[in-house]
Amino acid sequence: MLMSEAISWKVHEIRDLLWDGIPLRGASWLREEPTAEIWQRVIFVPVSGGIIVGGLNTLRSSIKTNSDGSVSNMKGVFRPFLKAAAASFTLGTGNSLGPEGPSVEIGSAIAKGFGNVFGWEGGKKLSLVAAGSAAGIASGFNAAVAGCFFAVESVLWPSSGDSSSLSNSTPMVILSAVIASVVSEIGLGSDPAFTVPEYDFRSPTELPLYLLLGVFCGAVSITLSRCTAVTMDMVERLQKTTGLPMAVSPALGGLIVGLLALVYPEVLYWGFENVDILLESRPFTSGLSAAVLVQLIGVKILATSLCRAFGLVGGYYAPSLFIGAATGMAYGKFMRFTFTGSEALFHVPFLDVASPQAYGLVGMAATLAGVCKVPLTSVLLLFELTQDYRIVLPLLGAVGLSSWIASSQRFSTSGKGKLDSLEEKTSTIEEAKNVPTQTQQLTSVDSVDATAELCKLESSLCVYDVKDDNVLENLTVAESMKTRYISVSLKTPVVEALNLMLVEKQPFVMITESNKSLLGLLTVKDFQDFCKTVKSTRMQPEVDECLVSHVCGVVRCKIWSVTPHMPLITAEKIMDSHGMDQVPVVSEHVNHQDGGILIGFVDRECITIARRALAAKEFFSFTSEIRREES
């Protein structure tokens, strides 16, 4: 929480030093100044921030890669402070990102550090990380309840720990959020992060308009995520083809932001004052037209994506709220023009449209939920800031639709599997020709890639992985996999496969071709699900005629796999993403039409043993080094 306050204080100091505008008016004051007088500052201030961030990023990377053992632990303490400094210069110079993401990530990193110092593992360490995340959000928005739900939604629920972690961590999370809010009020005052206009909800007949707003916010959220992915790929190709040093990239990003700010100064980060400008909630400020607001949506998406792609440090919470406010305000003004007033396009007697500010507030929550996948946090944040119960119903509708539309699973899940009827499954059993297909492989890869893209978009959403990454980052799958497994073919009778599993005491069986090429994996639960499906069908195959291919045709064999040279931590994340306890290991292959040659498997036990063995090995190496130094 103190780190979050330090970032906020430093950002204000840098901004006041480099910009001589009126802080309470946001960046809109630049619109009133002649371009010939301000263009140098508007361009070179973000560039200077990029230059400093490039140096800090280089220093932070050198600490991570050039240290090992106890030296790494000592130097690793400085990495959160370097990231805080980089975030401060990124935001203080006006680059288009936000402070909440780094605050959460830094708070979680400090919590992990305390856990390592005291030797805490499992639930205790998870509780610390959740508490640090809650403190980051609570202090950033001065909203303790939203901080608690953020910790639950982004840390405790996605974690792969036991079910008791949630209940055991709740008291620490609540206490951390409350203390962070108190410290934030003492240091920055009790006012909310941005000025909340009076919420205006006219009648329940207006609810469909909010649902339609949720659809638009979901589309905007997808645009921001996809634009970020595309720009990151483009910048990576640019660095490879031109040899552009990574230390120079942030300065190039600052240059582009400065050029965009000459026409649209609101894209500059100016605290939440720019959000106040959009919501027209501050005195002595004129609102922006719907046309300008729509343009700002596109420009802000572009500027934010470029800042992240070029290596500037910051989060996506503040940009998401800005884009959501612009979307809601533009939508609200269009609806007011369409349905109200003497010159309305359509006169609906029972429809009374609220002020654009109401739609702006709901748009903020809906876009934040769509981009960062935290719907509960978004609803509680806006409810806590407005303190108006009437906003809950429109919020739930818009946030729910936006989250559903922007969900990665919404587009990666095949609809065919869901629409299979019982009769189709029966015919599949009789034909016995359905095996894992390339489409299924692509679906599984898409799911993993979607998770990775979300982590790249907002790294603070991946802090729930409280395992010691430093221990696992040098381990490969080959160093921990098991090579003894049960292998059957598609033509193997089900009874024979189950007997093999019983004899070998294995909860799964591998399916291969004659050349040991992997086709899939079936667990005991898959066989049980197959039995339930068969019982409900009219035509049940004879026991002796029931083959493994029949099971694959009904329950879909799992075909996710890893390779020997893949980092063990990546294999573990694949298992976590798909709810698996084991994953096959296949040889490296170029032809993606087959599953590769099966050589072993990795399960949870393998990973636990590898982690503990390596930790013990490092301990003895460290002890031996100390004894040599003493002698």
Side-chain angles (χ1 to χ4, degrees):
M1 67 193 74
L2 293 177
M3 183 68 73
S4 177
E5 301 302 323
I7 292 177
S8 300
W9 176 79
K10 195 65 178 177
V11 168
H12 284 84
E13 290 292 322
I14 296 173
R15 188 182 66 187
D16 293 341
L17 177 65
L18 298 178
W19 301 97
D20 292 335
I22 303 175
L24 295 180
R25 292 173 59 190
S28 62
W29 68 277
L30 295 172
R31 285 184 176 271
E32 305 170 4
E33 301 293 329
T35 305
E37 297 181 4
I38 63 170
W39 72 269
Q40 293 178 330
R41 177 174 296 180
V42 172
I43 292 178
F44 290 112
V45 169
V47 171
S48 64
I51 295 174
I52 298 174
V53 170
L56 292 173
N57 287 345
T58 302
L59 179 59
R60 190 155 51 96
S61 299
S62 65
I63 289 179
K64 180 178 180 180
T65 57
N66 294 339
S67 302
D68 53 4
S70 58
V71 178
S72 176
N73 294 331
M74 294 176 61
K75 290 187 176 181
V77 176
F78 295 100
R79 297 189 71 245
F81 294 95
L82 292 175
K83 187 161 191 175
S88 300
F89 281 102
T90 295
L91 304 175
T93 53
N95 287 287
S96 181
L97 288 170
E100 292 76 24
S103 297
V104 171
E105 195 174 353
I106 292 167
S108 301
I110 294 175
K112 289 181 183 180
F114 275 103
N116 293 332
V117 170
F118 293 103
W120 290 351
E121 296 292 342
K124 289 185 178 180
K125 196 171 183 180
L126 179 66
S127 300
L128 275 178
V129 175
S133 302
I137 289 295
S139 61
F141 292 103
N142 200 6
V145 177
C148 293
F149 273 81
F150 175 83
V152 172
E153 198 169 19
S154 64
V155 180
L156 299 180
W157 282 351
S159 67
S160 58
D162 54 24
S163 59
S164 63
S165 297
L166 179 61
S167 59
N168 293 336
S169 303
T170 302
M172 184 179 296
V173 168
I174 295 175
L175 182 61
S176 176
V178 170
I179 295 176
S181 296
V182 171
V183 173
S184 178
E185 289 188 11
I186 295 175
L188 302 177
S190 58
D191 294 333
F194 53 89
T195 303
V196 181
E198 183 178 354
Y199 180 71
D200 184 18
F201 183 66
R202 300 295 176 86
S203 66
T205 58
E206 195 182 2
L207 185 59
L209 298 182
Y210 286 101
L211 297 180
L212 183 58
L213 174 61
V215 174
F216 284 125
C217 290
V220 169
S221 302
I222 294 174
T223 304
L224 175 58
S225 302
R226 299 288 172 84
C227 183
T228 300
V230 170
T231 52
M232 291 182 74
D233 290 339
M234 292 176 58
V235 171
E236 186 176 356
R237 293 196 198 101
L238 177 66
Q239 292 172 341
K240 290 181 179 179
T241 56
T242 63
L244 179 68
M246 297 187 66
V248 180
S249 296
L252 184 57
L255 175 62
I256 298 176
V257 170
L259 293 174
L260 293 174
L262 288 176
V263 183
Y264 302 97
E266 288 80 9
V267 301
L268 294 171
Y269 176 78
W270 211 274
F272 281 99
E273 284 82 357
N274 283 347
V275 175
D276 294 337
I277 299 300
L278 299 182
L279 296 176
E280 302 175 8
S281 57
R282 285 187 180 272
F284 310 112
T285 57
S286 58
L288 301 174
S289 65
V292 175
L293 289 171
V294 172
Q295 296 171 34
L296 277 177
I297 296 171
V299 176
K300 186 67 174 181
I301 289 175
L302 178 61
T304 304
S305 301
L306 289 171
C307 284
R308 172 53 57 86
F310 280 108
L312 290 158
V313 180
Y316 264 42
Y317 299 100
S320 299
L321 293 174
F322 179 95
I323 295 170
T327 303
M329 287 293 294
Y331 177 85
K333 290 187 176 183
F334 177 77
M335 289 301 165
R336 292 275 287 189
F337 172 77
T338 304
F339 294 107
T340 62
S342 57
E343 300 180 357
L345 299 178
F346 302 98
H347 291 281
V348 182
F350 57 85
L351 181 61
D352 189 8
V353 181
S355 64
Q357 287 87 345
Y359 291 94
L361 290 173
V362 175
M364 293 171 67
T367 305
L368 178 63
V371 173
C372 299
K373 308 298 184 293
V374 284
L376 291 179
T377 303
S378 303
V379 171
L380 266 297
L381 175 63
L382 264 295
F383 174 65
E384 192 171 5
L385 293 177
T386 59
Q387 298 181 1
D388 192 334
Y389 184 78
R390 296 176 300 168
I391 199 175
V392 172
L393 189 59
L395 269 180
L396 290 174
V399 167
L401 269 177
S402 177
S403 300
W404 179 71
I405 291 174
S407 173
S408 59
Q409 296 179 357
R410 168 80 176 87
F411 299 96
S412 62
T413 303
S414 174
K416 184 178 183 301
K418 294 183 179 180
L419 298 177
D420 284 343
S421 64
L422 211 55
E423 288 75 9
E424 288 175 332
K425 289 183 177 179
T426 304
S427 63
T428 303
I429 296 176
E430 293 176 349
E431 296 177 2
K433 63 182 181 179
N434 283 341
V435 295
T437 61
Q438 184 178 2
T439 303
Q440 288 175 280
Q441 296 180 10
L442 293 176
T443 300
S444 65
V445 172
D446 289 342
S447 179
V448 176
D449 290 344
T451 303
E453 286 182 4
L454 181 61
C455 294
K456 289 181 180 179
L457 181 72
E458 183 51 74
S459 55
S460 65
L461 295 172
C462 299
V463 299
Y464 61 84
D465 186 11
V466 298
K467 299 177 180 66
D468 193 352
D469 293 355
N470 294 328
V471 175
L472 286 178
E473 64 183 2
N474 296 323
L475 279 176
T476 62
V477 170
E479 295 176 282
S480 59
M481 71 177 186
K482 296 179 181 179
T483 56
R484 183 176 177 178
Y485 53 87
I486 305 172
S487 176
V488 298
S489 67
L490 288 172
K491 297 181 180 180
T492 302
V494 171
V495 175
E496 181 180 340
L498 291 172
N499 285 334
L500 288 173
M501 296 168 66
L502 183 62
V503 171
E504 297 293 335
K505 305 298 186 296
Q506 288 281 11
F508 62 94
V509 62
M510 305 286 190
I511 306 172
T512 60
E513 293 180 332
S514 57
N515 62 347
K516 291 296 182 181
S517 179
L518 176 67
L519 293 179
L521 179 149
L522 289 174
T523 63
V524 173
K525 186 178 183 303
D526 294 329
F527 285 103
Q528 292 175 336
D529 293 340
F530 171 74
C531 293
K532 294 178 182 178
T533 303
V534 168
K535 287 181 180 179
S536 61
T537 59
R538 296 179 180 179
M539 299 181 61
Q540 299 183 12
E542 296 294 334
V543 175
D544 296 337
E545 298 177 358
C546 189
L547 307 178
V548 170
S549 59
H550 297 151
V551 183
C552 286
V554 174
V555 299
R556 305 293 183 185
C557 302
K558 301 176 180 64
I559 46 82
W560 301 288
S561 60
V562 296
T563 55
H565 295 94
M566 182 181 292
L568 186 59
I569 190 171
T570 302
E572 186 180 25
K573 289 181 179 179
I574 292 175
M575 294 165 62
D576 291 339
S577 299
H578 299 288
M580 302 172 62
D581 292 325
Q582 58 277 318
V583 62
V585 181
V586 299
S587 60
E588 305 283 352
H589 59 280
V590 179
N591 183 10
H592 294 281
Q593 294 181 352
D594 56 57
I597 304 302
L598 179 65
I599 59 177
F601 71 93
V602 171
D603 59 9
R604 303 285 182 182
E605 183 182 12
C606 293
I607 296 175
T608 301
I609 293 174
R611 180 186 295 114
R612 293 177 178 176
L614 184 59
K617 180 181 176 181
E618 289 189 351
F619 172 77
F620 285 111
S621 299
F622 177 70
T623 304
S624 300
E625 183 180 352
I626 292 178
R627 289 179 178 176
R628 285 196 301 268
E629 292 178 356
E630 290 177 350
S631 60

